Amino acid sequence: MTARTLYDKLWDAHLVEQFDDGAALIYIDRHIAHEVTTPQAFEGLKLAGRGLWRRAATVAVSDHNVPTRDIHHISDPVAKVQLETLARNCREHRITHFDIGDVRQGIVHVTGPEQGWSLPGMTIVCGDSHTATNGALGALAFGIGTSEVEHVMATQTLVLRKARNMLIEVSGTLRPGVSAKDLILAIIGRIGTAGATGHTMEYAGEAISRLSMEERMTVCNMSIEAGGRAGLVAVDDKTIAYVEGRPGAPKGEEWTQAVAAWRELHSDPGAHFDTVVRLDASEIEPQVTWGTSPEMVLPISGRVPDPAAETDEVRRTGIAGALKYMGLTPGTPLAEIPIDKVFIGSCTNSRIEDLRAAAAVVKGKRLAANVTLAMVVPGSGLVKRQAEAEGLDRVFLDAGFEWREPGCSMCLGMNPDQLLPGERCASTSNRNFEGRQGHGGRTHLVSPAMAAAAGIAGHFVDVQKV
Amino acid sequence: MEAFTRLTGLVAPIDRPNVDTDAIIPKQFLKSIKRSGFGPNLFDEWRYLDKGEPDKANEGRPLNPDFILNQPRYQGAQILLARDNFGCGSSREHAPWAIYDYGFRAVIAPSFADIFYGNSAKNGLLLVTLSAEIVERLFNDTRATPGYALTIDLGAQTVTTPAGEIFQFDYAAGLKHRMLNGLDDIGMTLQKADAIRAYEAKRKQSAPWLFAET
Ligand code: SF4
């Protein structure tokens, strides 16, 4: 038997039929729905007189439009209709749905692993590109469009073409104060936002093995920002310990059987990767993005780049345009850039370990006077409850941070949490595109500890030195 | 998706090139959570004198008397006659949804934008490409003849005029199979239902936990 990558194994295990033109019919184990990308899919089913192929395969949670201050007050009528439509569709089709007010409600990619909706070895889809987060469990997880959502609900399959294999091998150990977020930002900085286009990325090596499950989720989450549709980490003891006892995890005899199967979910020695990238974790510093694309990132010790120093014409105009939007002057040390707001949350960094890391920096300190708003938005009601049990909410509140209800919030500002034009934000989210967090808003992507430290200092600062 | 085999329908002409998807269905309607009901807002900016909004009722809105589809003689038209590069612009699938929801089942033009072409076929809207000269003649005949209707036979790939003149058109075999049988992407996959069931049965043996209740 030829040596296979983890991706090869997951692909082979879900192959229903191979077509002559290179496409294949792939079975989908789990579909996780949220309110934004599903209404037309449900309506399409209805118009065609079709039902769900396998009801129990689909589960749902409201997240993108959820207000984080008063969860029962939705000011935008369009948002309200989307939320109500999801609830109604789930009732009609008897789909499990965590709606606003349910403690289990949260960001779709936080809720999935938390509930055991996502399990190792599954194919997992959701109408959202950050579905790759679930790849941390050794599952093939990727975002799909609305017509594909309908296709999955009606047939439990997708017509796909196999991607190429990419290995991101990270040796060494991350230094104290350097997080999984810094690692993935450094990877994106190295390979670029198109670096993994057409590939499924597998993260491996000593540094990845050392990461906790939540840290692996942070890494896999941003695979899409590196151009990959899916990110993977092999199953190990940590994976199995993480899954055990979750509501959706197998029990009893099935658990034993499942664990035995999951132990095979790793790339075989000698398996072929089309592209290999190697990094040394110990060389990575805390990262800060300075531009309007996640690849525009530098270590905190760096300075805002000078477009004049760039020889490539396209890159030069790209840098100049980004600096103009971001309101930055070439040569400015990143550690001297003052901020207006802090956002700690999103499917990248809103799990309990993220909140702990931020709280550890904040504890006993006060928000800087120039910071007008610092908000902490837990990834789910359960994360929120856990944090409160540990007293983290007090730590944040005492320091002048706001403690919000779970949801996507200012990651994309579909709810009222938005930046105002010109405002600069230290954000733990995943996209620093123009206008992403509000029209004219300026986003700098950082780790939770770096965001917290910036909130306290009033400007970016090397958390290793705090 | 509804199958398209043969249609005899009233023709309405829209005499401008490069009709883009934003003209077909303006962007404010994309906020909708639906894929049906766009018909009343087809060509919204040309059709009405005021600005349309997604949550606004369309009955009673002031109609633009100069817009061709508002003329009594074109009410109930099922075939839209158009000029070059019809459907250019954004990839919104709402464009064919709106045209179809209005009641059109086919569009005839000298050329269509690529993405629009693919989206239309997916939604049961037949796009017929005929030469510019033939389209020009059809425009003249439509204008000159109240009640002018054409017959489109997809099986034979022909358009027949009331005078019995027949024009042949090209249509890709794969798409034709789908249109004739009313198969959308899902319909195509469901032809493999047995293979999917067989896969599930096997998988249930080896990994039963994947089929747990939720
Ligand atoms: S937190 Fe942000 S990136 Fe994640 S699912 Fe929500 S909107 Fe998308």
Side-chain angles (χ1 to χ4, degrees), chain A residues 64 107-109 128 130 346-347 408 411-412 430 436:
Chain A
H64 283 65
I107 304 171
V108 62
H109 315 306
D128 188 285
H130 290 98
S346 89
C347 56
C408 292
C411 174
L412 87 169
N430 44 51
R436 167 83 173 179

Side-chain angles (χ1 to χ4, degrees), chain A residues 34 63-64 107-110 126-131 133 221 224-225 343 345-350 407-414 429-431 436:
Chain A
H34 64 91
D63 60 359
H64 283 65
I107 304 171
V108 62
H109 315 306
V110 174
C126 167
D128 188 285
S129 57
H130 290 98
T131 308
T133 314
N221 173 275
I224 190 82
E225 275 71 40
F343 171 63
S346 89
C347 56
T348 314
N349 282 130
S350 63
C408 292
S409 181
M410 207 161 66
C411 174
L412 87 169
M414 267 190 90
S429 55
N430 44 51
R431 283 180 178 158
R436 167 83 173 179

Side-chain angles (χ1 to χ4, degrees), chain B residues 94-135:
Chain B
H94 305 66
W97 292 345
I99 296 171
Y100 195 90
D101 195 67
Y102 180 92
F104 288 115
R105 292 294 171 266
V107 186
I108 301 175
S111 65
F112 295 94
D114 267 358
I115 300 176
F116 176 78
Y117 195 90
N119 283 342
S120 296
K122 269 188 191 165
N123 287 281
L125 181 68
L126 182 72
L127 302 188
V128 176
T129 313
L130 292 176
S131 74
E133 301 84 76
I134 296 174
V135 169

Side-chain angles (χ1 to χ4, degrees), chain A residues 95-355:
Chain A
I95 293 168
T96 301
H97 171 216
F98 296 163
D99 207 346
I100 295 178
D102 188 319
V103 70
R104 298 166 297 180
Q105 176 266 328
I107 304 171
V108 62
H109 315 306
V110 174
T111 304
E114 189 174 80
Q115 289 298 318
W117 286 346
S118 321
L119 296 173
M122 275 184 167
T123 40
I124 302 167
V125 296
C126 167
D128 188 285
S129 57
H130 290 98
T131 308
T133 314
N134 298 284
L137 293 162
L140 181 59
F142 50 91
I144 55 175
T146 297
S147 45
E148 288 175 304
V149 168
E150 184 182 339
H151 196 279
V152 168
M153 291 200 290
T155 70
Q156 214 53 54
T157 62
L158 281 173
V159 178
L160 298 173
R161 275 164 202 282
K162 196 174 174 197
R164 285 184 293 166
N165 279 290
M166 181 176 210
L167 177 66
I168 307 281
E169 193 170 359
V170 193
S171 61
T173 313
L174 289 172
R175 300 205 299 250
V178 182
S179 72
K181 179 65 162 287
D182 301 304
L183 170 58
I184 185 64
L185 284 172
I187 292 170
I188 295 165
R190 164 89 167 268
I191 70 174
T193 48
T197 301
H199 291 79
T200 291
M201 308 168 76
E202 181 178 343
Y203 303 92
E206 189 192 348
I208 302 295
S209 306
R210 283 179 195 269
L211 295 180
S212 71
M213 287 308 291
E214 293 192 4
E215 291 173 315
R216 294 176 189 179
M217 287 178 212
T218 299
V219 171
C220 287
N221 173 275
M222 288 188 74
S223 300
I224 190 82
E225 275 71 40
R229 204 174 173 194
L232 290 169
V233 176
V235 170
D236 61 10
D237 291 344
K238 284 184 191 167
T239 322
I240 288 161
Y242 176 89
V243 172
E244 188 164 16
R246 305 222 163 241
K251 315 260 171 328
E253 180 53 36
E254 278 189 9
W255 171 257
T256 317
Q257 201 184 343
V259 170
W262 295 343
R263 292 275 178 208
E264 301 299 317
L265 296 175
H266 53 78
S267 291
D268 296 328
H272 174 74
F273 286 91
D274 302 281
T275 311
V276 179
V277 175
R278 292 198 169 83
L279 280 87
D280 181 351
S282 61
E283 286 171 4
I284 296 172
E285 274 187 65
Q287 307 279 308
V288 184
T289 65
W290 50 265
T292 50
S293 159
E295 69 183 15
M296 294 175 160
V297 65
L298 282 171
I300 178 68
S301 59
R303 289 168 183 268
V304 174
D306 187 353
E310 179 61 56
T311 46
D312 182 85
E313 169 84 41
V314 178
R315 286 182 60 92
R316 184 164 59 234
T317 36
I319 295 172
L323 293 189
K324 182 150 180 279
Y325 180 84
M326 294 297 288
L328 293 172
T329 316
T332 312
L334 295 180
E336 281 176 18
I337 300 173
I339 59 158
D340 304 302
K341 288 187 171 169
V342 176
F343 171 63
I344 297 176
S346 89
C347 56
T348 314
N349 282 130
S350 63
R351 298 174 189 83
I352 191 67
E353 291 173 12
D354 299 314
L355 304 190

